[in-house]
């Protein structure tokens, strides 16, 4: 059957938040994003992707609530049967 076959676009949103300088600071979340993104690109390929991490210089690439919600909207915009949408999050839960 066609289960697992990707026939459409491959799109991904990667979010990594280390909370640098804050209580509860993490160390590996941005590295997680880099590693997962590299693995997906090498093994499956992507047509489009966005990365939100708290080490970015560009304000639109910082994982604020507004940017994360905009990322979710971007990820699902125009999605059709056969597309593959990937969301990767590394940070605190809750």
């Amino acid at each position: 059957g066609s289960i697992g076959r990707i026939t459409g676009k491959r799109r991904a949103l990667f979010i990594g938040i280390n909370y640098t300088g804050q209580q509860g600071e993490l160390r590996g979340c941005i590295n997680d994003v880099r590693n997962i993104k590299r693995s997906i690109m090498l093994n499956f390929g992507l047509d489009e992707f966005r990365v939100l991490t708290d080490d970015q210089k560009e304000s639109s690439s910082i994982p604020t609530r507004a940017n994360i919600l905009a990322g979710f909207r971007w990820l699902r915009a125009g999605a059709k049967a056969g597309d593959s949408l990937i969301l990767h999050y590394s940070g605190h839960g809750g």
Side-chain angles (χ1 to χ4, degrees), residues 43-94:
N43 292 297
F44 305 104
L46 289 170
D47 297 304
E48 299 177 277
F49 66 88
R50 290 192 179 174
V51 176
L52 301 176
T53 55
D54 54 357
D55 66 342
Q56 299 284 331
K57 304 289 186 245
E58 180 64 42
S59 63
S60 64
S61 296
I62 296 170
T64 62
R65 181 181 193 277
N67 287 346
I68 291 170
L69 291 174
F72 290 163
R73 286 189 293 275
W74 169 83
L75 186 63
R76 65 186 172 107
K80 302 186 279 288
D83 288 353
S84 179
L85 307 179
I86 299 167
L87 171 64
H88 170 81
Y89 171 83
S90 184
H92 284 300

Side-chain angles (χ1 to χ4, degrees), residues 7-76:
T7 58
K9 279 192 168 184
R10 298 167 191 228
R11 183 183 268 193
L13 174 63
F14 301 96
I15 304 168
I17 310 174
N18 279 350
Y19 307 91
T20 306
Q22 300 177 45
Q23 185 176 0
E25 182 175 336
L26 299 172
R27 295 186 181 191
C29 300
I30 293 169
N31 284 336
D32 289 348
V33 163
R34 290 181 184 135
N35 291 332
I36 294 292
K37 180 170 122 331
R38 184 179 326 117
S39 177
I40 290 171
M41 294 292 286
L42 287 172
N43 292 297
F44 305 104
L46 289 170
D47 297 304
E48 299 177 277
F49 66 88
R50 290 192 179 174
V51 176
L52 301 176
T53 55
D54 54 357
D55 66 342
Q56 299 284 331
K57 304 289 186 245
E58 180 64 42
S59 63
S60 64
S61 296
I62 296 170
T64 62
R65 181 181 193 277
N67 287 346
I68 291 170
L69 291 174
F72 290 163
R73 286 189 293 275
W74 169 83
L75 186 63
R76 65 186 172 107

